[in-house]
Amino acid sequence: MEHFFTCPYCWEQISMILDPSEEESEYIEDCEVCCRPIELFFKFSDERLVYFEAKRMEGI
């Protein structure tokens, strides 16, 4: 599933592919525009995205 969100550093709209088979996931992904690390957290329920958060890494 493709999901669009705004980078918390450069405010550009970026997209990523999320896997609905993972009910809950948390990881770090670099922004494809400014290359800064973004903490990502998302949850699925019945293969529907119910929560998504993209935030700055602390101290960066």
Coordinates of all heavy atoms in Angstrom, one line a residue:
M1 N 0.8 -1.2 0.0 CA 0.0 0.0 0.0 C 0.9 1.2 0.0 O 1.8 1.4 0.8 CB -0.9 0.0 1.2 CG -1.3 1.3 1.7 SD -2.2 1.3 3.3 CE -3.7 2.1 2.8
E2 N 0.6 2.2 -0.9 CA 1.4 3.4 -1.0 C 0.8 4.4 0.0 O -0.4 4.6 0.0 CB 1.5 4.0 -2.4 CG 2.3 5.2 -2.5 CD 2.5 5.6 -4.0 OE1 1.6 5.4 -4.8 OE2 3.5 6.3 -4.2
H3 N 1.6 5.1 0.8 CA 1.2 6.1 1.7 C 2.0 7.4 1.5 O 3.2 7.3 1.5 CB 1.3 5.6 3.1 CG 0.8 6.5 4.2 ND1 -0.5 6.7 4.4 CD2 1.5 7.3 5.1 CE1 -0.7 7.6 5.3 NE2 0.5 8.0 5.8
F4 N 1.3 8.5 1.4 CA 2.0 9.8 1.3 C 2.0 10.5 2.6 O 1.0 10.4 3.4 CB 1.2 10.6 0.3 CG 1.4 10.1 -1.1 CD1 0.5 9.2 -1.6 CD2 2.4 10.6 -2.0 CE1 0.6 8.7 -2.9 CE2 2.5 10.1 -3.2 CZ 1.6 9.2 -3.7
F5 N 3.1 11.2 2.9 CA 3.2 12.0 4.2 C 4.2 13.1 4.0 O 4.9 13.1 3.0 CB 3.6 11.1 5.4 CG 5.0 10.5 5.3 CD1 6.0 11.0 5.9 CD2 5.2 9.3 4.5 CE1 7.3 10.5 5.8 CE2 6.4 8.7 4.5 CZ 7.5 9.3 5.1
T6 N 4.3 14.0 4.9 CA 5.1 15.2 4.8 C 6.4 14.9 5.7 O 6.3 14.5 6.8 CB 4.4 16.4 5.3 OG1 3.2 16.6 4.5 CG2 5.3 17.6 5.2
C7 N 7.5 15.2 5.1 CA 8.8 15.0 5.9 C 8.8 16.1 7.0 O 8.5 17.2 6.8 CB 10.0 15.3 4.9 SG 11.6 15.3 5.8
P8 N 9.1 15.6 8.2 CA 9.1 16.6 9.3 C 10.3 17.5 9.3 O 10.4 18.4 10.2 CB 9.2 15.7 10.6 CG 9.8 14.4 10.1 CD 9.4 14.3 8.7
Y9 N 11.3 17.4 8.4 CA 12.4 18.3 8.3 C 12.2 19.3 7.1 O 12.3 20.5 7.3 CB 13.7 17.5 8.0 CG 14.1 16.6 9.1 CD1 13.9 15.2 9.0 CD2 14.7 17.0 10.2 CE1 14.2 14.3 10.0 CE2 15.1 16.2 11.3 CZ 14.9 14.8 11.1 OH 15.2 13.9 12.1
C10 N 12.0 18.8 5.9 CA 12.0 19.7 4.7 C 10.6 20.0 4.2 O 10.4 20.7 3.3 CB 12.8 19.0 3.6 SG 12.1 17.5 2.9
W11 N 9.6 19.3 4.8 CA 8.2 19.6 4.5 C 7.8 19.1 3.1 O 6.7 19.5 2.7 CB 7.8 21.0 4.8 CG 8.1 21.4 6.2 CD1 9.1 22.3 6.6 CD2 7.6 20.9 7.4 NE1 9.2 22.3 7.9 CE2 8.3 21.5 8.5 CE3 6.6 20.0 7.8 CZ2 8.0 21.3 9.8 CZ3 6.3 19.8 9.1 CH2 7.0 20.4 10.1
E12 N 8.6 18.4 2.5 CA 8.2 17.9 1.1 C 7.3 16.7 1.3 O 7.4 15.9 2.3 CB 9.5 17.4 0.4 CG 10.4 18.6 -0.1 CD 9.7 19.4 -1.1 OE1 9.0 18.9 -2.0 OE2 10.0 20.6 -1.2
Q13 N 6.4 16.5 0.3 CA 5.5 15.3 0.3 C 6.3 14.2 -0.3 O 6.9 14.3 -1.3 CB 4.3 15.7 -0.6 CG 3.3 14.6 -0.7 CD 2.2 14.7 0.3 OE1 2.2 15.6 1.1 NE2 1.4 13.7 0.3
I14 N 6.3 13.1 0.5 CA 7.0 11.9 0.0 C 6.1 10.7 0.2 O 5.1 10.8 0.9 CB 8.4 11.7 0.8 CG1 8.2 11.6 2.3 CG2 9.4 12.7 0.4 CD1 9.5 11.3 3.0
S15 N 6.5 9.6 -0.5 CA 5.6 8.4 -0.4 C 6.5 7.2 0.0 O 7.7 7.2 -0.2 CB 4.9 8.1 -1.7 OG 5.8 7.7 -2.7
M16 N 5.8 6.2 0.6 CA 6.5 5.0 0.9 C 5.5 3.8 0.7 O 4.3 4.0 0.8 CB 7.1 5.0 2.2 CG 6.2 5.1 3.4 SD 7.0 5.2 5.0 CE 8.2 3.9 4.9
I17 N 6.0 2.7 0.6 CA 5.2 1.5 0.5 C 5.1 0.8 1.9 O 6.1 0.5 2.5 CB 5.7 0.5 -0.5 CG1 5.9 1.1 -1.9 CG2 4.9 -0.8 -0.6 CD1 4.6 1.6 -2.5
L18 N 3.9 0.6 2.4 CA 3.7 0.0 3.7 C 3.1 -1.4 3.4 O 2.3 -1.6 2.5 CB 2.7 0.8 4.5 CG 3.0 2.3 4.8 CD1 1.9 2.9 5.6 CD2 4.3 2.4 5.4
D19 N 3.5 -2.3 4.2 CA 3.1 -3.7 4.1 C 2.0 -4.0 5.1 O 2.2 -4.0 6.3 CB 4.3 -4.7 4.4 CG 3.9 -6.1 4.2 OD1 2.7 -6.4 3.9 OD2 4.8 -6.9 4.4
P20 N 0.7 -4.1 4.7 CA -0.4 -4.3 5.6 C -0.4 -5.7 6.3 O -1.1 -5.8 7.3 CB -1.7 -4.3 4.7 CG -1.2 -4.0 3.3 CD 0.3 -4.0 3.3
S21 N 0.5 -6.6 5.9 CA 0.6 -7.9 6.6 C 1.3 -7.7 8.0 O 1.2 -8.5 8.8 CB 1.3 -8.9 5.8 OG 2.7 -8.6 5.6
E22 N 2.1 -6.6 8.1 CA 2.7 -6.2 9.4 C 1.6 -5.4 10.2 O 1.4 -4.2 9.8 CB 3.9 -5.4 9.2 CG 5.0 -6.1 8.5 CD 6.3 -5.2 8.4 OE1 6.6 -4.6 9.4 OE2 6.8 -5.2 7.3
E23 N 1.0 -5.9 11.2 CA 0.0 -5.2 11.9 C 0.5 -3.9 12.6 O -0.2 -2.9 12.6 CB -0.6 -6.1 13.0 CG -1.6 -7.1 12.4 CD -2.3 -7.9 13.4 OE1 -2.3 -7.4 14.6 OE2 -2.9 -8.9 13.1
E24 N 1.8 -4.0 13.0 CA 2.4 -2.8 13.7 C 3.9 -2.8 13.4 O 4.5 -3.8 13.4 CB 2.2 -2.9 15.2 CG 2.5 -1.7 16.0 CD 2.1 -1.8 17.4 OE1 1.0 -2.1 17.7 OE2 3.0 -1.7 18.3
S25 N 4.4 -1.6 13.0 CA 5.8 -1.5 12.7 C 6.4 -0.2 13.1 O 5.7 0.8 13.1 CB 6.0 -1.7 11.2 OG 7.3 -1.9 10.9
E26 N 7.7 -0.2 13.5 CA 8.4 1.0 13.8 C 9.8 0.9 13.3 O 10.5 -0.1 13.5 CB 8.4 1.2 15.4 CG 9.0 2.4 15.8 CD 8.9 2.6 17.3 OE1 8.3 1.7 18.0 OE2 9.4 3.6 17.8
Y27 N 10.2 1.9 12.5 CA 11.6 1.9 12.0 C 12.0 3.2 11.6 O 11.3 4.2 11.7 CB 11.7 0.8 10.9 CG 10.9 1.0 9.7 CD1 11.4 1.7 8.6 CD2 9.6 0.5 9.6 CE1 10.6 1.9 7.5 CE2 8.8 0.7 8.5 CZ 9.3 1.4 7.4 OH 8.5 1.6 6.3
I28 N 13.2 3.3 11.1 CA 13.8 4.6 10.7 C 14.1 4.5 9.2 O 14.6 3.6 8.6 CB 15.1 4.9 11.4 CG1 14.9 5.0 12.9 CG2 15.8 6.2 10.9 CD1 16.1 5.0 13.7
E29 N 13.7 5.6 8.5 CA 13.8 5.7 7.0 C 14.3 7.1 6.7 O 13.9 8.0 7.3 CB 12.4 5.5 6.4 CG 12.4 5.5 4.9 CD 12.7 4.2 4.2 OE1 12.6 3.1 4.9 OE2 13.1 4.2 3.1
D30 N 15.3 7.2 5.8 CA 15.8 8.5 5.4 C 14.8 9.1 4.4 O 14.3 8.4 3.5 CB 17.2 8.4 4.7 CG 18.3 8.0 5.7 OD1 18.0 8.2 6.9 OD2 19.3 7.6 5.3
C31 N 14.6 10.4 4.5 CA 13.8 11.2 3.5 C 14.4 11.1 2.2 O 15.6 11.3 2.0 CB 13.7 12.6 4.0 SG 12.8 13.7 2.8
E32 N 13.6 10.8 1.1 CA 14.2 10.7 -0.2 C 14.5 12.1 -0.8 O 15.2 12.1 -1.8 CB 13.2 10.0 -1.1 CG 11.8 10.6 -1.2 CD 10.8 9.7 -1.9 OE1 10.8 8.5 -1.6 OE2 10.1 10.2 -2.7
V33 N 14.1 13.2 -0.1 CA 14.5 14.5 -0.6 C 15.7 15.1 0.1 O 16.7 15.5 -0.5 CB 13.2 15.5 -0.5 CG1 13.6 16.9 -0.9 CG2 12.1 14.9 -1.3
C34 N 15.6 15.2 1.5 CA 16.7 15.8 2.2 C 17.6 14.8 2.9 O 18.6 15.2 3.5 CB 16.1 16.8 3.3 SG 15.2 16.0 4.7
C35 N 17.3 13.5 2.8 CA 18.1 12.4 3.3 C 18.3 12.4 4.9 O 19.2 11.7 5.4 CB 19.5 12.5 2.7 SG 19.5 12.3 0.9
R36 N 17.5 13.1 5.6 CA 17.5 13.1 7.1 C 16.7 11.9 7.6 O 15.7 11.5 7.0 CB 17.1 14.4 7.6 CG 18.1 15.5 7.2 CD 17.6 16.9 7.6 NE 18.0 17.1 9.0 CZ 17.8 18.3 9.6 NH1 17.1 19.2 9.0 NH2 18.2 18.5 10.8
P37 N 17.1 11.3 8.7 CA 16.4 10.2 9.3 C 15.0 10.5 9.9 O 14.9 11.4 10.7 CB 17.3 9.6 10.3 CG 18.1 10.8 10.8 CD 18.2 11.7 9.6
I38 N 14.0 9.7 9.5 CA 12.6 9.9 10.0 C 12.2 8.7 10.8 O 12.4 7.6 10.3 CB 11.6 10.2 8.9 CG1 12.1 11.3 8.0 CG2 10.2 10.4 9.4 CD1 11.3 11.4 6.7
E39 N 11.7 8.9 12.0 CA 11.1 7.8 12.8 C 9.7 7.5 12.3 O 8.9 8.5 12.3 CB 11.1 8.1 14.3 CG 12.4 8.0 15.0 CD 12.2 8.2 16.5 OE1 12.1 9.4 16.9 OE2 12.1 7.2 17.2
L40 N 9.4 6.3 11.9 CA 8.1 6.0 11.4 C 7.5 4.9 12.3 O 8.1 4.0 12.7 CB 8.3 5.4 10.0 CG 8.9 6.3 8.9 CD1 9.3 5.6 7.7 CD2 7.9 7.5 8.6
F41 N 6.2 5.1 12.5 CA 5.4 4.2 13.3 C 4.0 4.1 12.6 O 3.4 5.1 12.3 CB 5.3 4.6 14.7 CG 4.5 3.7 15.6 CD1 5.0 2.5 16.0 CD2 3.2 4.0 15.9 CE1 4.3 1.6 16.7 CE2 2.4 3.1 16.7 CZ 3.0 1.9 17.1
F42 N 3.6 2.9 12.4 CA 2.3 2.7 11.8 C 1.6 1.4 12.3 O 2.3 0.5 12.7 CB 2.3 2.8 10.3 CG 3.2 1.8 9.6 CD1 2.8 0.5 9.3 CD2 4.5 2.1 9.3 CE1 3.6 -0.4 8.6 CE2 5.3 1.3 8.7 CZ 4.9 0.0 8.3
K43 N 0.3 1.4 12.2 CA -0.5 0.3 12.6 C -1.6 0.0 11.6 O -2.2 0.9 11.0 CB -1.3 0.5 13.9 CG -0.4 0.6 15.1 CD -1.3 0.8 16.4 CE -0.4 1.0 17.6 NZ -1.2 1.1 18.8
F44 N -1.8 -1.3 11.4 CA -2.9 -1.7 10.5 C -3.9 -2.5 11.3 O -3.5 -3.2 12.3 CB -2.4 -2.6 9.4 CG -1.7 -1.9 8.2 CD1 -0.4 -1.7 8.2 CD2 -2.5 -1.5 7.2 CE1 0.2 -1.0 7.2 CE2 -1.9 -0.8 6.1 CZ -0.5 -0.5 6.1
S45 N -5.1 -2.5 10.9 CA -6.2 -3.3 11.5 C -7.0 -3.8 10.3 O -7.5 -3.0 9.5 CB -7.1 -2.5 12.4 OG -8.1 -3.3 13.0
D46 N -7.1 -5.1 10.2 CA -7.8 -5.8 9.0 C -7.3 -5.2 7.7 O -8.1 -4.9 6.8 CB -9.3 -5.5 9.2 CG -9.9 -6.2 10.4 OD1 -9.4 -7.4 10.7 OD2 -10.8 -5.7 11.0
E47 N -6.0 -5.0 7.6 CA -5.3 -4.5 6.4 C -5.7 -3.1 6.0 O -5.5 -2.7 4.9 CB -5.5 -5.5 5.2 CG -4.9 -6.8 5.5 CD -4.7 -7.7 4.2 OE1 -4.9 -7.2 3.1 OE2 -4.3 -8.8 4.4
R48 N -6.2 -2.4 7.0 CA -6.5 -0.9 6.8 C -5.5 -0.2 7.7 O -5.3 -0.5 8.9 CB -7.9 -0.6 7.3 CG -9.0 -0.9 6.2 CD -10.3 -0.3 6.7 NE -10.1 0.5 7.9 CZ -11.1 1.1 8.5 NH1 -12.3 0.9 8.2 NH2 -10.8 1.8 9.6
L49 N -4.9 0.9 7.2 CA -4.0 1.7 8.0 C -4.9 2.5 9.0 O -5.7 3.3 8.6 CB -3.3 2.7 7.0 CG -2.2 3.6 7.7 CD1 -1.1 2.7 8.3 CD2 -1.6 4.5 6.7
V50 N -4.6 2.3 10.3 CA -5.4 3.0 11.3 C -4.6 4.1 12.0 O -5.1 4.9 12.7 CB -6.0 2.0 12.3 CG1 -7.1 1.2 11.6 CG2 -5.0 1.2 13.0
Y51 N -3.2 4.0 11.9 CA -2.4 5.0 12.6 C -1.1 5.1 11.8 O -0.5 4.1 11.4 CB -2.1 4.6 14.0 CG -1.3 5.6 14.8 CD1 -1.9 6.8 15.3 CD2 0.1 5.5 14.9 CE1 -1.1 7.7 16.0 CE2 0.8 6.4 15.6 CZ 0.2 7.5 16.1 OH 1.0 8.4 16.8
F52 N -0.6 6.4 11.6 CA 0.7 6.6 11.0 C 1.3 7.8 11.6 O 0.6 8.9 11.8 CB 0.5 6.8 9.5 CG 1.8 7.0 8.8 CD1 2.5 5.9 8.3 CD2 2.4 8.3 8.6 CE1 3.8 6.1 7.6 CE2 3.6 8.4 8.0 CZ 4.3 7.3 7.5
E53 N 2.6 7.7 12.0 CA 3.3 8.9 12.5 C 4.7 8.9 11.9 O 5.4 7.9 11.9 CB 3.4 8.7 14.1 CG 4.1 9.9 14.7 CD 4.2 9.7 16.2 OE1 4.0 8.7 16.8 OE2 4.4 10.8 16.9
A54 N 5.1 10.1 11.5 CA 6.5 10.3 11.0 C 7.0 11.5 11.8 O 6.5 12.6 11.7 CB 6.4 10.6 9.5
K55 N 8.1 11.3 12.5 CA 8.6 12.4 13.3 C 10.2 12.4 13.2 O 10.8 11.5 12.8 CB 8.2 12.3 14.8 CG 8.7 11.0 15.5 CD 8.1 11.0 16.9 CE 8.7 9.9 17.7 NZ 8.2 9.9 19.1
R56 N 10.7 13.6 13.6 CA 12.1 13.8 13.6 C 12.8 12.9 14.6 O 12.2 12.6 15.7 CB 12.4 15.3 14.0 CG 12.0 16.3 13.1 CD 12.2 17.7 13.7 NE 11.9 18.7 12.7 CZ 12.7 19.7 12.4 NH1 13.9 19.8 12.9 NH2 12.3 20.6 11.5
M57 N 14.0 12.6 14.3 CA 14.9 11.8 15.3 C 15.3 12.8 16.4 O 15.7 14.0 16.0 CB 16.1 11.3 14.6 CG 15.8 10.2 13.6 SD 15.4 8.6 14.3 CE 16.9 8.2 15.2
E58 N 15.3 12.4 17.6 CA 15.7 13.3 18.7 C 17.2 13.6 18.6 O 18.0 12.7 18.2 CB 15.5 12.6 20.0 CG 14.0 12.4 20.4 CD 13.3 13.8 20.6 OE1 13.9 14.7 21.2 OE2 12.2 13.9 20.1
G59 N 17.5 14.9 18.8 CA 18.9 15.3 18.8 C 19.5 15.5 17.4 O 20.7 15.7 17.2
I60 N 18.7 15.4 16.3 CA 19.2 15.6 15.0 C 18.7 16.9 14.4 O 17.6 17.2 14.5 CB 18.9 14.4 14.1 CG1 19.6 13.2 14.6 CG2 19.2 14.7 12.6 CD1 19.5 12.0 13.8

